Amino acid sequence: MMSRIALTSLVAAAVAGCAGQQQAKNGTPAVSKEERLRITNQSPFDVAVCKTQAPALSQPANQGILVGGLLASRPQVMECLVDPKNRGPAENTRLVVKTTVNDQGGSHAISGDNLTPEGIACVQKIVDARVPLTALAKGAAPVESESTFVHEVGNSPSVRFGLNPGSDYSGNVRLAQDEWCECYAGYENKAPPTLRANLDLKKGQATAADIAFDPAGTPEGDALATCLKGKMAAVPSTLEVDELKFPYRFVHFNSHATEPAADLSPELRLLQLDLVRNQRSADAAIAFGNRANAAEAYDAIVAKYQSTKDWKLIDELKAKCKTLVNTSQQWVDSIESQRQVDQTTVDLATELKAKDAAWGELEAKTREIIAATQQDLDTAKQRLAADQGACPRETQEAAPKKKK
């Protein structure tokens, strides 16, 4: 978990630094004249926010399932923090979700720094819906988990109102995107293309006077532009000068993408890869938790068989061991998917370092992380082999082995 957070921070800082952005600091920043004139609030949008169905989480809850479930909710949680009404005045926001499950039930407690009551309520609604909690068996030991999310204005998608009319209009567009999910149908497994809308705002008109998208280059992209244009036509506009023309650039990510984001610049591809890695890490944690539950269920039937020597239990033994092996295989597969993302990130960081030595720190860090992922993969493969060897066979007369 820590290595994932470290990589996220490093990638965000590296991209921001190479793009010439300032590092976010605590406290309310001074706003320069140039900033007041520049059009802002055109932050990338992760279309994974539109995925309303959360991953299936097996019961009972354990550490892996809780960590993975909350990590899988990151796109929705971070989208809460885009809205300035959910953040305090500081540039950095730290959000902590402490989860407790016992034989009476479970709860997610939200706390942190620089959160408003609206922000806490937004996150609470998400985690309660996406990580439901069921009471453990009577007398079972409580399970606790703590997940931290960090939002940095300047590095994380953010909206800030009051700079200028163009930025305020852009902020309203950005905050509305999570309500325009119908436009992103068909992009469940890939990042939508980057699009440019040319806007014309006029004094006295409640909405944009004209919205014209540049050609996307594909029928699919043009269809997305047409849908977004229709949505933007309802976004309110307030202008004191006679007219204002400026472009709005739609940059899209997808944490659930399985296809390369060739449309993005190398720097933005790094951020896209980091979002994907986050979800692959969530998958691995959930798979680990599922395997733990399967092992516990198998151990229970093995203990019953060993105490009764009832051969009628063999079919159930085989079924539960098959489930154990399947969950072990899913754990292996999820870590392998994570390792592939790590390797792609290393390759891209190496490519960028060849052009700018400043990317060397990121390359070194990603190599450390891929080495750690490989160790996790080796461990999971060893566990899979042990699980396969533990299953009873037709000709096997010895008692089956318990799993740990």
Side-chain angles (χ1 to χ4, degrees):
M1 178 67 69
M2 289 304 297
S3 63
R4 198 213 68 77
I5 293 173
L7 181 59
T8 296
S9 301
L10 190 58
V11 168
V15 171
C18 290
Q21 298 177 4
Q22 292 184 346
Q23 182 73 21
K25 298 179 180 179
N26 287 324
T28 304
V31 180
S32 67
K33 180 179 179 180
E34 290 75 12
E35 285 179 298
R36 290 194 176 278
L37 294 175
R38 182 167 58 91
I39 304 296
T40 62
N41 290 334
Q42 298 185 8
S43 299
F45 177 64
D46 184 356
V47 299
V49 169
C50 296
K51 187 172 183 178
T52 56
Q53 185 175 359
L57 304 176
S58 66
Q59 299 296 332
N62 57 38
Q63 279 282 336
I65 289 171
L66 293 179
V67 169
L70 288 167
L71 196 54
S73 303
R74 186 176 187 274
Q76 290 76 16
V77 170
M78 295 302 288
E79 186 67 17
C80 275
L81 301 179
V82 174
D83 194 330
K85 77 174 185 294
N86 294 335
R87 309 187 312 267
E91 293 284 88
N92 293 347
T93 302
R94 180 175 175 271
L95 186 155
V96 179
V97 181
K98 185 173 182 179
T99 303
T100 303
V101 189
N102 54 36
D103 58 7
Q104 301 299 308
S107 65
H108 300 291
I110 314 299
S111 63
D113 303 319
N114 200 45
L115 286 167
T116 65
E118 294 89 345
I120 291 175
C122 183
V123 174
Q124 188 78 61
K125 181 179 179 181
I126 287 169
V127 298
D128 285 347
R130 298 186 70 85
V131 190
L133 304 173
T134 302
L136 302 177
K138 189 70 175 178
V143 179
E144 293 187 352
S145 174
E146 186 171 291
S147 298
T148 301
F149 302 85
V150 177
H151 179 279
E152 300 174 327
V153 174
N155 285 339
S156 308
S158 312
V159 165
R160 181 182 178 191
F161 288 116
L163 291 176
N164 55 61
S167 294
D168 286 351
Y169 181 87
S170 296
N172 286 328
V173 169
R174 177 59 185 81
L175 291 181
Q177 278 185 270
D178 65 353
E179 300 175 358
W180 299 348
C181 287
E182 63 191 80
C183 293
Y184 297 109
Y187 289 98
E188 290 81 3
N189 298 315
K190 60 183 177 180
T194 298
L195 301 173
R196 173 185 164 117
N198 302 295
L199 306 174
D200 186 358
L201 309 185
K202 290 186 178 180
K203 185 177 181 180
Q205 295 200 16
T207 57
D210 186 54
I211 303 170
F213 275 80
D214 289 349
T218 65
E220 188 180 39
D222 287 335
L224 173 58
T226 298
C227 185
L228 292 175
K229 179 178 179 179
K231 301 294 186 182
M232 293 177 74
V235 175
S237 169
T238 302
L239 203 62
E240 296 181 357
V241 298
D242 291 336
E243 186 175 26
L244 177 63
K245 294 183 177 182
F246 63 96
Y248 188 101
R249 185 167 176 254
F250 285 91
V251 177
H252 299 109
F253 293 143
N254 188 348
S255 293
H256 297 294
T258 56
E259 300 180 19
D263 180 67
L264 298 174
S265 68
E267 292 81 4
L268 291 178
R269 287 209 308 274
L270 279 174
L271 292 176
Q272 163 65 21
L273 285 168
D274 191 55
L275 293 176
V276 172
R277 186 184 195 278
N278 178 87
Q279 293 302 306
R280 303 289 171 84
S281 297
D283 292 343
I286 293 170
F288 175 81
N290 289 341
R291 189 256 164 214
N293 278 346
E296 185 174 342
Y298 180 64
D299 280 352
I301 191 64
V302 168
K304 184 177 181 181
Y305 169 79
Q306 290 178 338
S307 65
T308 64
K309 305 301 181 182
D310 184 357
W311 282 92
K312 294 178 182 179
L313 295 175
I314 287 296
D315 286 344
E316 188 175 358
L317 277 164
K318 290 179 179 178
K320 290 191 181 299
C321 202
K322 182 179 179 181
T323 299
L324 174 61
V325 170
N326 288 343
T327 55
S328 289
Q329 184 64 62
Q330 290 164 4
W331 183 28
V332 169
D333 293 344
S334 63
I335 298 177
E336 173 57 30
S337 294
Q338 179 180 321
R339 190 200 65 78
Q340 291 172 4
V341 175
D342 290 344
Q343 186 60 59
T344 302
T345 303
V346 168
D347 294 343
L348 184 53
T350 301
E351 175 187 333
L352 289 168
K353 190 186 76 168
K355 301 174 183 177
D356 184 348
W359 293 99
E361 181 183 2
L362 177 62
E363 182 199 32
K365 185 62 180 179
T366 52
R367 290 192 184 280
E368 291 177 10
I369 290 175
I370 196 173
T373 303
Q374 184 61 54
Q375 289 181 349
D376 292 341
L377 181 59
D378 293 342
T379 298
K381 286 181 176 179
Q382 291 170 5
R383 180 61 65 185
L384 171 60
D387 291 345
Q388 291 170 331
C391 288
R393 296 174 175 82
E394 293 291 347
T395 59
Q396 184 175 326
E397 296 184 359
K401 301 175 184 177
K402 282 190 175 183
K403 298 305 301 174
K404 298 295 184 180

